[in-house]
Amino acid sequence: MTNGLILIVDDTPTNLEIMSRTLEDAGFEVAIALDGLSAIEQVQLNEELDLILLDVMMPGIDGFETCQRLKSNPATSHIPIIFMTALSDTANKIRALELGAVDYITKPFSEQEVLARVKTQTKLYRLSRHLEQQVAERTNQLSEALAELKTSQIQLVQREKLSALGNLVAGVAHEINNPIGFLSGNIEPALDYINDIFGLVHLYQQEYPQSSAAIQNEIKTIDFDYIREDLPKLIGSMSEGVRRIKSISTSLRTFSRADTDRPVAFNLHDGIDSTILILKHRLKANELRPEIQIITNYGDLPLVECYAGQLNQVFMNILANAIDVFDEIAQARSFNELKANPQKIIIRTEVLENQVLILIQDNGTGIPEAVKTRIFDRLFTTKEVGKGTGLGLAIAHQIVVDKHGGSLEVQSELGQGSEFYIRLPICVYKKNSELRSQNSV
Protein backbone atom coordinates (compact mmCIF):
# COMPACT_ATOMS: atom_id res chain seq x y z
CA MET A 1 0.00 0.00 0.00
CA THR A 2 1.42 3.42 -1.00
CA ASN A 3 1.42 6.59 1.03
CA GLY A 4 -0.55 8.33 -1.70
CA LEU A 5 -0.53 9.51 -5.30
CA ILE A 6 1.22 12.81 -6.03
CA LEU A 7 1.05 14.79 -9.29
CA ILE A 8 4.15 16.88 -9.99
CA VAL A 9 3.59 19.72 -12.48
CA ASP A 10 6.86 21.33 -13.65
CA ASP A 11 8.45 22.12 -17.00
CA THR A 12 12.01 21.55 -15.70
CA PRO A 13 13.17 17.90 -16.15
CA THR A 14 15.73 18.19 -13.34
CA ASN A 15 13.11 19.26 -10.81
CA LEU A 16 10.82 16.46 -11.96
CA GLU A 17 13.57 13.86 -11.58
CA ILE A 18 14.63 15.00 -8.13
CA MET A 19 11.12 15.26 -6.70
CA SER A 20 9.97 12.01 -8.30
CA ARG A 21 12.88 10.08 -6.81
CA THR A 22 12.43 11.66 -3.38
CA LEU A 23 8.72 10.91 -3.24
CA GLU A 24 9.00 7.39 -4.63
CA ASP A 25 11.73 6.57 -2.07
CA ALA A 26 9.30 7.75 0.63
CA GLY A 27 6.63 5.33 -0.60
CA PHE A 28 4.54 7.65 -2.77
CA GLU A 29 3.26 7.01 -6.28
CA VAL A 30 4.11 9.81 -8.70
CA ALA A 31 2.43 11.19 -11.81
CA ILE A 32 4.07 13.88 -13.98
CA ALA A 33 2.79 16.78 -16.11
CA LEU A 34 4.92 19.31 -18.00
CA ASP A 35 2.35 22.12 -18.25
CA GLY A 36 -0.93 23.36 -16.80
CA LEU A 37 -3.30 22.00 -19.46
CA SER A 38 -1.91 18.47 -19.32
CA ALA A 39 -2.05 18.66 -15.52
CA ILE A 40 -5.76 19.53 -15.64
CA GLU A 41 -6.42 16.62 -18.01
CA GLN A 42 -4.61 14.18 -15.71
CA VAL A 43 -6.48 15.41 -12.64
CA GLN A 44 -9.85 15.02 -14.36
CA LEU A 45 -8.98 11.46 -15.42
CA ASN A 46 -7.53 10.38 -12.06
CA GLU A 47 -9.87 10.64 -9.06
CA GLU A 48 -7.36 9.09 -6.62
CA LEU A 49 -4.87 11.99 -6.44
CA ASP A 50 -3.86 12.96 -2.92
CA LEU A 51 -1.81 16.07 -3.68
CA ILE A 52 -0.54 18.31 -6.48
CA LEU A 53 2.92 19.93 -6.49
CA LEU A 54 2.49 22.84 -8.87
CA ASP A 55 5.09 25.13 -10.46
CA VAL A 56 4.08 28.71 -11.26
CA MET A 57 6.20 29.68 -14.24
CA MET A 58 5.29 27.27 -17.07
CA PRO A 59 4.56 27.51 -20.82
CA GLY A 60 0.91 28.00 -21.74
CA ILE A 61 -1.22 28.72 -18.70
CA ASP A 62 0.79 29.40 -15.56
CA GLY A 63 0.41 27.72 -12.17
CA PHE A 64 -1.95 30.37 -10.83
CA GLU A 65 -4.37 29.89 -13.75
CA THR A 66 -4.07 26.11 -13.43
CA CYS A 67 -4.88 26.29 -9.73
CA GLN A 68 -7.85 28.58 -10.35
CA ARG A 69 -9.34 26.19 -12.93
CA LEU A 70 -8.89 23.17 -10.69
CA LYS A 71 -10.45 24.91 -7.69
CA SER A 72 -13.43 26.17 -9.73
CA ASN A 73 -14.31 22.62 -10.79
CA PRO A 74 -16.35 20.81 -8.08
CA ALA A 75 -14.88 17.48 -9.21
CA THR A 76 -11.26 18.59 -8.55
CA SER A 77 -11.57 21.42 -6.03
CA HIS A 78 -10.96 19.14 -3.03
CA ILE A 79 -7.42 18.10 -4.06
CA PRO A 80 -4.77 20.01 -2.04
CA ILE A 81 -2.19 22.02 -4.01
CA ILE A 82 1.31 23.05 -2.92
CA PHE A 83 3.03 25.70 -5.03
CA MET A 84 6.75 25.24 -5.78
CA THR A 85 8.29 28.32 -7.40
CA ALA A 86 11.21 30.72 -7.44
CA LEU A 87 8.75 33.60 -6.92
CA SER A 88 9.36 34.40 -3.28
CA ASP A 89 7.68 37.78 -2.88
CA THR A 90 4.79 38.12 -0.44
CA ALA A 91 2.25 39.19 -3.08
CA ASN A 92 2.62 35.92 -5.01
CA LYS A 93 2.39 33.87 -1.82
CA ILE A 94 -0.81 35.67 -0.84
CA ARG A 95 -2.24 35.18 -4.33
CA ALA A 96 -1.48 31.46 -4.23
CA LEU A 97 -3.14 30.99 -0.87
CA GLU A 98 -6.16 33.06 -1.93
CA LEU A 99 -6.58 30.78 -4.96
CA GLY A 100 -6.90 27.81 -2.61
CA ALA A 101 -3.36 26.43 -2.25
CA VAL A 102 -2.56 24.79 1.09
CA ASP A 103 1.17 25.64 1.06
CA TYR A 104 3.85 27.57 -0.84
CA ILE A 105 7.48 26.40 -1.20
CA THR A 106 10.14 28.63 -2.72
CA LYS A 107 13.01 27.41 -4.88
CA PRO A 108 15.69 26.35 -4.34
CA PHE A 109 14.08 23.92 -1.91
CA SER A 110 15.22 21.27 0.49
CA GLU A 111 14.09 17.78 -0.49
CA GLN A 112 13.46 16.86 3.13
CA GLU A 113 11.42 20.03 3.70
CA VAL A 114 9.26 19.28 0.65
CA LEU A 115 8.85 15.68 1.78
CA ALA A 116 7.83 16.75 5.28
CA ARG A 117 5.26 19.19 3.93
CA VAL A 118 3.91 16.63 1.46
CA LYS A 119 3.50 14.04 4.21
CA THR A 120 1.70 16.57 6.43
CA GLN A 121 -0.70 17.69 3.69
CA THR A 122 -1.49 14.18 2.44
CA LYS A 123 -2.17 13.06 6.00
CA LEU A 124 -4.44 16.05 6.57
CA TYR A 125 -6.17 15.40 3.24
CA ARG A 126 -6.85 11.75 4.04
CA LEU A 127 -8.08 12.60 7.53
CA SER A 128 -10.33 15.27 6.04
CA ARG A 129 -11.75 12.87 3.45
CA HIS A 130 -12.29 10.22 6.13
CA LEU A 131 -14.04 12.75 8.33
CA GLU A 132 -16.23 13.88 5.42
CA GLN A 133 -17.16 10.26 4.76
CA GLN A 134 -18.04 9.74 8.42
CA VAL A 135 -20.08 12.94 8.44
CA ALA A 136 -21.89 11.84 5.27
CA GLU A 137 -22.64 8.42 6.74
CA ARG A 138 -23.79 9.94 10.01
CA THR A 139 -25.91 12.48 8.15
CA ASN A 140 -27.47 9.67 6.16
CA GLN A 141 -28.18 7.74 9.35
CA LEU A 142 -29.73 10.82 10.93
CA SER A 143 -31.79 11.47 7.80
CA GLU A 144 -33.09 7.91 7.89
CA ALA A 145 -33.83 8.22 11.60
CA LEU A 146 -35.63 11.52 10.99
CA ALA A 147 -37.66 9.97 8.17
CA GLU A 148 -38.60 7.06 10.43
CA LEU A 149 -39.51 9.50 13.20
CA LYS A 150 -41.70 11.53 10.84
CA THR A 151 -43.30 8.33 9.57
CA SER A 152 -43.99 7.24 13.14
CA GLN A 153 -45.41 10.69 13.85
CA ILE A 154 -47.74 10.44 10.87
CA GLN A 155 -48.81 6.95 11.88
CA LEU A 156 -49.46 8.11 15.44
CA VAL A 157 -51.44 11.14 14.29
CA GLN A 158 -53.32 8.95 11.84
CA ARG A 159 -54.20 6.36 14.47
CA GLU A 160 -55.27 9.01 16.97
CA LYS A 161 -57.38 10.84 14.41
CA LEU A 162 -59.03 7.66 13.19
CA SER A 163 -59.56 6.44 16.73
CA ALA A 164 -61.05 9.74 17.93
CA LEU A 165 -63.19 10.18 14.85
CA GLY A 166 -64.25 6.55 14.87
CA ASN A 167 -65.25 6.66 18.52
CA LEU A 168 -67.15 9.90 18.05
CA VAL A 169 -69.00 8.81 14.93
CA ALA A 170 -69.67 5.32 16.25
CA GLY A 171 -70.98 6.82 19.49
CA VAL A 172 -73.29 9.20 17.63
CA ALA A 173 -74.52 6.37 15.42
CA HIS A 174 -75.18 4.22 18.48
CA GLU A 175 -77.11 6.98 20.25
CA ILE A 176 -79.15 7.59 17.11
CA ASN A 177 -79.98 3.92 16.74
CA ASN A 178 -81.85 3.66 20.04
CA PRO A 179 -84.52 6.33 19.44
CA ILE A 180 -84.65 5.48 15.73
CA GLY A 181 -85.29 1.86 16.61
CA PHE A 182 -88.07 2.96 18.92
CA LEU A 183 -89.66 5.16 16.25
CA SER A 184 -89.23 2.59 13.50
CA GLY A 185 -90.77 -0.11 15.61
CA ASN A 186 -93.80 1.96 16.55
CA ILE A 187 -94.71 3.82 13.37
CA GLU A 188 -96.39 0.85 11.71
CA PRO A 189 -98.48 -0.09 14.79
CA ALA A 190 -99.38 3.58 15.21
CA LEU A 191 -100.58 3.73 11.62
CA ASP A 192 -102.62 0.57 12.19
CA TYR A 193 -104.22 2.14 15.28
CA ILE A 194 -105.02 5.32 13.36
CA ASN A 195 -106.63 3.32 10.55
CA ASP A 196 -108.65 1.40 13.14
CA ILE A 197 -109.88 4.65 14.69
CA PHE A 198 -110.75 6.09 11.30
CA GLY A 199 -112.58 2.84 10.51
CA LEU A 200 -114.51 3.09 13.74
CA VAL A 201 -115.43 6.72 13.04
CA HIS A 202 -116.54 5.78 9.54
CA LEU A 203 -118.69 2.96 10.95
CA TYR A 204 -120.18 5.32 13.51
CA GLN A 205 -121.07 7.82 10.78
CA GLN A 206 -122.78 5.07 8.81
CA GLU A 207 -124.77 3.79 11.77
CA TYR A 208 -125.60 7.24 13.16
CA PRO A 209 -125.68 9.61 10.20
CA GLN A 210 -127.68 12.20 12.13
CA SER A 211 -125.15 13.23 14.77
CA SER A 212 -125.71 16.13 17.12
CA ALA A 213 -125.06 19.74 16.14
CA ALA A 214 -122.07 19.92 18.53
CA ILE A 215 -120.41 16.94 16.84
CA GLN A 216 -121.10 18.34 13.39
CA ASN A 217 -119.56 21.68 14.36
CA GLU A 218 -116.46 20.00 15.81
CA ILE A 219 -116.00 17.92 12.64
CA LYS A 220 -116.04 21.12 10.59
CA THR A 221 -113.78 22.98 13.01
CA ILE A 222 -110.98 20.40 12.92
CA ASP A 223 -111.57 19.63 9.23
CA PHE A 224 -111.90 15.94 9.96
CA ASP A 225 -112.05 14.89 6.30
CA TYR A 226 -108.67 16.56 5.68
CA ILE A 227 -107.18 14.90 8.78
CA ARG A 228 -108.42 11.52 7.64
CA GLU A 229 -106.77 12.05 4.26
CA ASP A 230 -103.55 13.71 5.44
CA LEU A 231 -102.65 11.83 8.62
CA PRO A 232 -101.61 8.59 6.84
CA LYS A 233 -99.45 10.72 4.54
CA LEU A 234 -97.95 12.43 7.59
CA ILE A 235 -97.12 9.06 9.13
CA GLY A 236 -95.62 7.99 5.79
CA SER A 237 -93.38 11.09 5.79
CA MET A 238 -92.29 10.28 9.33
CA SER A 239 -91.49 6.75 8.21
CA GLU A 240 -89.41 8.09 5.33
CA GLY A 241 -87.57 10.41 7.72
CA VAL A 242 -86.81 7.48 10.00
CA ARG A 243 -85.57 5.50 7.02
CA ARG A 244 -83.23 8.34 6.03
CA ILE A 245 -81.90 8.69 9.57
CA LYS A 246 -81.26 4.96 9.65
CA SER A 247 -79.38 5.33 6.37
CA ILE A 248 -77.29 8.13 7.87
CA SER A 249 -76.58 6.00 10.92
CA THR A 250 -75.49 3.10 8.69
CA SER A 251 -73.21 5.44 6.73
CA LEU A 252 -71.70 6.75 9.96
CA ARG A 253 -70.93 3.23 11.10
CA THR A 254 -69.48 2.42 7.67
CA PHE A 255 -67.20 5.46 7.75
CA SER A 256 -66.03 4.82 11.30
CA ARG A 257 -65.51 1.13 10.69
CA ALA A 258 -62.79 -0.03 13.05
CA ASP A 259 -59.84 -1.72 11.35
CA THR A 260 -58.67 -5.10 12.49
CA ASP A 261 -55.08 -6.32 12.40
CA ARG A 262 -55.71 -7.67 8.94
CA PRO A 263 -57.55 -6.42 5.85
CA VAL A 264 -61.18 -7.38 5.31
CA ALA A 265 -63.40 -7.51 2.23
CA PHE A 266 -65.02 -4.10 1.77
CA ASN A 267 -67.34 -2.36 -0.68
CA LEU A 268 -65.43 0.79 -1.64
CA HIS A 269 -68.59 2.47 -2.89
CA ASP A 270 -70.08 2.23 0.60
CA GLY A 271 -66.96 3.92 1.96
CA ILE A 272 -67.13 6.73 -0.61
CA ASP A 273 -70.85 7.27 -0.04
CA SER A 274 -70.41 7.39 3.72
CA THR A 275 -67.60 9.93 3.33
CA ILE A 276 -69.76 12.13 1.09
CA LEU A 277 -72.50 11.95 3.72
CA ILE A 278 -70.10 13.05 6.47
CA LEU A 279 -69.09 16.04 4.31
CA LYS A 280 -72.63 16.85 3.13
CA HIS A 281 -72.92 19.89 5.39
CA ARG A 282 -69.86 21.40 3.67
CA LEU A 283 -71.28 20.74 0.21
CA LYS A 284 -74.48 22.70 0.80
CA ALA A 285 -74.97 26.20 -0.59
CA ASN A 286 -74.04 29.16 1.58
CA GLU A 287 -74.03 32.94 1.24
CA LEU A 288 -70.87 32.86 -0.91
CA ARG A 289 -71.50 29.99 -3.32
CA PRO A 290 -74.12 27.56 -4.64
CA GLU A 291 -74.11 23.90 -3.63
CA ILE A 292 -71.05 21.90 -4.70
CA GLN A 293 -72.17 19.11 -6.99
CA ILE A 294 -71.01 15.54 -6.38
CA ILE A 295 -71.26 13.27 -9.42
CA THR A 296 -70.57 9.56 -8.95
CA ASN A 297 -69.94 7.20 -11.83
CA TYR A 298 -69.40 3.84 -10.23
CA GLY A 299 -68.17 0.81 -12.09
CA ASP A 300 -68.81 -2.81 -11.18
CA LEU A 301 -66.21 -3.28 -8.45
CA PRO A 302 -65.54 -6.46 -6.52
CA LEU A 303 -65.10 -6.41 -2.78
CA VAL A 304 -61.55 -5.26 -2.05
CA GLU A 305 -59.50 -6.59 0.84
CA CYS A 306 -58.37 -3.48 2.67
CA TYR A 307 -58.29 -1.51 5.89
CA ALA A 308 -61.69 0.12 5.39
CA GLY A 309 -61.50 2.83 8.03
CA GLN A 310 -58.14 4.04 6.75
CA LEU A 311 -59.29 4.16 3.12
CA ASN A 312 -62.31 6.19 4.22
CA GLN A 313 -59.82 8.63 5.73
CA VAL A 314 -58.08 8.84 2.34
CA PHE A 315 -61.38 9.70 0.63
CA MET A 316 -62.11 12.23 3.38
CA ASN A 317 -58.76 14.02 3.04
CA ILE A 318 -58.93 14.32 -0.76
CA LEU A 319 -62.57 15.45 -0.84
CA ALA A 320 -62.09 17.89 2.05
CA ASN A 321 -59.13 19.47 0.24
CA ALA A 322 -61.25 19.93 -2.90
CA ILE A 323 -63.98 21.61 -0.85
CA ASP A 324 -61.36 23.88 0.75
CA VAL A 325 -60.26 24.97 -2.74
CA PHE A 326 -63.86 25.71 -3.74
CA ASP A 327 -64.36 27.79 -0.59
CA GLU A 328 -61.24 29.81 -1.45
CA ILE A 329 -62.54 30.36 -4.98
CA ALA A 330 -65.85 31.59 -3.55
CA GLN A 331 -63.96 34.36 -1.76
CA ALA A 332 -62.82 35.82 -5.09
CA ARG A 333 -65.82 35.16 -7.39
CA SER A 334 -69.43 36.25 -7.33
CA PHE A 335 -72.32 33.95 -6.47
CA ASN A 336 -73.82 34.37 -9.95
CA GLU A 337 -70.53 33.52 -11.63
CA LEU A 338 -70.26 30.31 -9.62
CA LYS A 339 -73.90 29.51 -10.33
CA ALA A 340 -73.22 29.82 -14.05
CA ASN A 341 -70.15 27.56 -13.72
CA PRO A 342 -71.06 25.06 -10.99
CA GLN A 343 -68.31 23.67 -8.81
CA LYS A 344 -68.16 19.90 -9.28
CA ILE A 345 -66.44 16.86 -7.85
CA ILE A 346 -66.62 13.78 -10.05
CA ILE A 347 -65.85 10.36 -8.59
CA ARG A 348 -65.35 7.47 -10.99
CA THR A 349 -64.44 3.87 -10.26
CA GLU A 350 -63.48 0.97 -12.50
CA VAL A 351 -61.47 -2.23 -12.60
CA LEU A 352 -58.15 -2.15 -14.49
CA GLU A 353 -56.66 -5.63 -14.80
CA ASN A 354 -55.85 -6.65 -11.20
CA GLN A 355 -56.38 -3.18 -9.80
CA VAL A 356 -59.24 -0.98 -8.73
CA LEU A 357 -59.10 2.65 -9.87
CA ILE A 358 -60.78 5.43 -7.92
CA LEU A 359 -60.59 8.77 -9.73
CA ILE A 360 -61.54 11.92 -7.80
CA GLN A 361 -61.68 14.93 -10.09
CA ASP A 362 -62.58 18.58 -9.40
CA ASN A 363 -62.91 21.67 -11.59
CA GLY A 364 -61.08 23.98 -9.20
CA THR A 365 -58.09 26.21 -9.84
CA GLY A 366 -55.55 23.43 -10.29
CA ILE A 367 -52.22 22.94 -8.54
CA PRO A 368 -48.99 24.84 -9.40
CA GLU A 369 -46.09 22.63 -10.51
CA ALA A 370 -43.96 23.65 -7.51
CA VAL A 371 -46.73 22.56 -5.14
CA LYS A 372 -47.57 19.40 -7.08
CA THR A 373 -44.06 17.99 -6.65
CA ARG A 374 -44.35 18.31 -2.86
CA ILE A 375 -48.05 17.68 -2.33
CA PHE A 376 -47.52 14.33 -0.58
CA ASP A 377 -44.56 15.53 1.52
CA ARG A 378 -44.90 15.39 5.28
CA LEU A 379 -45.78 18.71 6.96
CA PHE A 380 -46.09 20.51 3.60
CA THR A 381 -49.12 22.76 3.32
CA THR A 382 -50.17 25.85 1.37
CA LYS A 383 -52.91 26.73 3.85
CA GLU A 384 -52.75 29.49 6.41
CA VAL A 385 -51.38 28.81 9.87
CA GLY A 386 -54.01 27.03 11.90
CA LYS A 387 -55.94 25.81 8.85
CA GLY A 388 -53.69 23.00 7.70
CA THR A 389 -51.15 20.64 9.24
CA GLY A 390 -49.55 19.29 6.08
CA LEU A 391 -50.40 15.75 7.18
CA GLY A 392 -53.66 15.01 5.33
CA LEU A 393 -52.32 14.01 1.92
CA ALA A 394 -49.11 12.61 3.40
CA ILE A 395 -51.23 10.29 5.52
CA ALA A 396 -53.39 9.43 2.50
CA HIS A 397 -50.29 8.58 0.47
CA GLN A 398 -48.89 6.42 3.24
CA ILE A 399 -52.18 4.53 3.66
CA VAL A 400 -52.53 3.81 -0.06
CA VAL A 401 -48.87 3.09 -0.89
CA ASP A 402 -47.35 1.63 2.28
CA LYS A 403 -50.40 0.02 3.86
CA HIS A 404 -52.18 -1.27 0.75
CA GLY A 405 -49.40 -1.63 -1.84
CA GLY A 406 -51.24 0.70 -4.22
CA SER A 407 -50.46 4.10 -5.74
CA LEU A 408 -51.74 7.63 -5.24
CA GLU A 409 -50.96 10.13 -7.98
CA VAL A 410 -52.13 13.61 -8.91
CA GLN A 411 -52.48 15.27 -12.30
CA SER A 412 -53.28 18.94 -12.46
CA GLU A 413 -52.90 22.06 -14.57
CA LEU A 414 -53.54 25.60 -13.44
CA GLY A 415 -57.07 26.60 -14.35
CA GLN A 416 -58.02 23.01 -15.29
CA GLY A 417 -58.73 21.46 -11.91
CA SER A 418 -57.10 18.40 -10.35
CA GLU A 419 -57.38 14.63 -10.64
CA PHE A 420 -56.35 12.18 -7.93
CA TYR A 421 -55.80 8.60 -9.05
CA ILE A 422 -56.03 5.93 -6.36
CA ARG A 423 -55.06 2.46 -7.51
CA LEU A 424 -55.51 -0.51 -5.19
CA PRO A 425 -54.57 -4.13 -5.84
CA ILE A 426 -57.53 -6.47 -5.66
CA CYS A 427 -55.84 -9.69 -4.52
CA VAL A 428 -52.53 -8.54 -3.02
CA TYR A 429 -53.43 -9.67 0.49
CA LYS A 430 -54.54 -13.08 -0.64
CA LYS A 431 -51.25 -13.47 -2.48
CA ASN A 432 -49.30 -12.44 0.60
CA SER A 433 -51.18 -14.91 2.77
CA GLU A 434 -50.60 -17.64 0.20
CA LEU A 435 -46.88 -16.86 0.19
CA ARG A 436 -46.77 -17.06 3.98
CA SER A 437 -48.54 -20.42 3.86
CA GLN A 438 -46.09 -21.74 1.27
CA ASN A 439 -43.10 -20.51 3.27
CA SER A 440 -44.38 -22.24 6.41
CA VAL A 441 -44.69 -25.61 4.64
Side-chain angles (χ1 to χ4, degrees):
M1 181 177 178
T2 67
N3 291 329
L5 175 60
I6 312 298
L7 173 64
I8 305 173
V9 187
D10 199 315
D11 62 334
T12 305
T14 303
N15 291 338
L16 290 173
E17 182 181 354
I18 294 172
M19 288 309 309
S20 296
R21 184 178 64 252
T22 301
L23 292 173
E24 287 173 349
D25 290 345
F28 290 95
E29 288 187 58
V30 176
I32 293 174
L34 298 176
D35 57 64
L37 290 176
S38 62
I40 292 173
E41 291 178 0
Q42 286 201 50
V43 173
Q44 291 175 340
L45 294 174
N46 196 333
E47 298 179 354
E48 298 180 357
L49 278 174
D50 294 289
L51 183 70
I52 301 173
L53 291 174
L54 182 60
D55 188 17
V56 173
M57 306 301 293
M58 296 182 296
I61 62 173
D62 63 15
F64 292 134
E65 176 68 19
T66 303
C67 180
Q68 184 175 14
R69 292 190 186 185
L70 289 172
K71 291 300 179 181
S72 63
N73 184 349
T76 60
S77 62
H78 62 280
I79 303 173
I81 296 175
I82 296 177
F83 276 103
M84 295 177 53
T85 177
L87 300 175
S88 59
D89 58 286
T90 303
N92 282 310
K93 291 180 180 180
I94 293 174
R95 182 183 178 190
L97 295 173
E98 287 179 344
L99 288 172
V102 297
D103 207 345
Y104 191 98
I105 303 174
T106 57
K107 300 176 181 179
F109 50 78
S110 165
E111 297 175 22
Q112 295 305 314
E113 178 189 358
V114 173
L115 184 59
R117 296 194 183 198
V118 167
K119 286 182 177 180
T120 299
Q121 293 300 333
T122 54
K123 184 176 181 180
L124 289 173
Y125 173 69
R126 289 191 170 186
L127 287 173
S128 175
R129 298 293 285 180
H130 180 65
L131 181 60
E132 288 177 1
Q133 183 179 359
Q134 287 184 318
V135 170
E137 291 176 355
R138 185 59 176 164
T139 301
N140 185 54
Q141 292 173 356
L142 290 174
S143 298
E144 291 177 356
L146 180 60
E148 291 178 3
L149 180 61
K150 288 183 177 180
T151 299
S152 299
Q153 179 190 33
I154 288 180
Q155 291 173 338
L156 180 60
V157 171
Q158 172 193 332
R159 284 196 298 268
E160 291 301 320
K161 286 179 66 176
L162 287 175
S163 176
L165 182 61
N167 289 336
L168 173 64
V169 174
V172 170
H174 177 73
E175 291 302 319
I176 289 176
N177 278 345
N178 288 332
I180 289 302
F182 173 79
L183 289 173
S184 180
N186 286 284
I187 283 180
E188 288 300 323
L191 184 59
D192 292 338
Y193 295 158
I194 290 170
N195 288 331
D196 289 343
I197 293 173
F198 283 157
L200 178 60
V201 171
H202 180 68
L203 179 61
Y204 178 83
Q205 288 177 331
Q206 285 183 330
E207 295 296 327
Y208 301 96
Q210 300 299 324
S211 56
S212 67
I215 292 176
Q216 293 290 339
N217 289 334
E218 186 64 20
I219 288 174
K220 291 180 181 180
T221 300
I222 66 174
D223 198 353
F224 179 75
D225 290 339
Y226 175 77
I227 292 175
R228 181 160 52 186
E229 178 184 351
D230 189 60
L231 187 55
K233 296 179 182 178
L234 183 62
I235 298 297
S237 297
M238 293 171 61
S239 180
E240 175 63 20
V242 168
R243 187 193 66 77
R244 291 182 62 183
I245 295 175
K246 287 176 67 176
S247 175
I248 291 173
S249 177
T250 300
S251 294
L252 289 174
R253 291 198 306 275
T254 299
F255 181 83
S256 64
R257 183 170 179 171
D259 287 320
T260 61
D261 59 352
R262 59 182 179 81
V264 295
F266 181 60
N267 186 334
L268 294 177
H269 295 158
D270 289 344
I272 296 172
D273 290 340
S274 67
T275 305
I276 293 172
L277 180 67
I278 297 293
L279 292 170
K280 196 170 185 64
H281 69 287
R282 295 197 59 196
L283 299 170
K284 293 180 179 179
N286 55 39
E287 67 276 7
L288 295 177
R289 59 162 176 77
E291 180 178 5
I292 297 172
Q293 299 179 14
I294 295 282
I295 301 172
T296 56
N297 183 11
Y298 291 156
D300 185 14
L301 300 188
L303 296 179
V304 175
E305 290 189 350
C306 62
Y307 296 89
Q310 295 186 29
L311 280 184
N312 289 340
Q313 186 67 41
V314 172
F315 303 146
M316 169 72 77
N317 291 344
I318 295 175
L319 291 173
N321 277 355
I323 297 172
D324 289 341
V325 170
F326 287 144
D327 286 340
E328 291 177 6
I329 294 174
Q331 300 286 337
R333 299 183 185 177
S334 68
F335 190 97
N336 290 333
E337 184 180 358
L338 294 174
K339 188 175 182 180
N341 300 280
Q343 296 172 321
K344 299 177 182 179
I345 299 175
I346 301 173
I347 305 173
R348 179 168 61 85
T349 64
E350 62 178 302
V351 175
L352 298 175
E353 296 182 352
N354 292 325
Q355 289 185 324
V356 168
L357 169 67
I358 304 105
L359 170 61
I360 302 177
Q361 176 185 3
D362 66 67
N363 62 341
T365 55
I367 304 172
E369 189 65 32
V371 174
K372 188 166 62 174
T373 57
R374 300 189 59 195
I375 196 167
F376 298 119
D377 288 355
R378 305 175 184 92
L379 306 178
F380 175 76
T381 180
T382 59
K383 298 177 182 177
E384 298 176 5
V385 176
K387 292 188 177 181
T389 63
L391 289 173
L393 290 179
I395 288 175
H397 189 269
Q398 185 184 45
I399 291 173
V400 173
V401 177
D402 297 341
K403 198 74 174 180
H404 292 86
S407 65
L408 174 56
E409 300 171 351
V410 60
Q411 293 184 8
S412 180
E413 294 183 14
L414 283 177
Q416 302 298 318
S418 304
E419 297 177 347
F420 285 85
Y421 292 83
I422 304 170
R423 294 179 176 87
L424 299 169
I426 297 175
C427 302
V428 63
Y429 298 105
K430 289 183 179 179
K431 290 180 179 178
N432 287 342
S433 62
E434 289 170 1
L435 286 174
R436 286 194 295 269
S437 298
Q438 293 172 4
N439 291 335
S440 63
V441 175

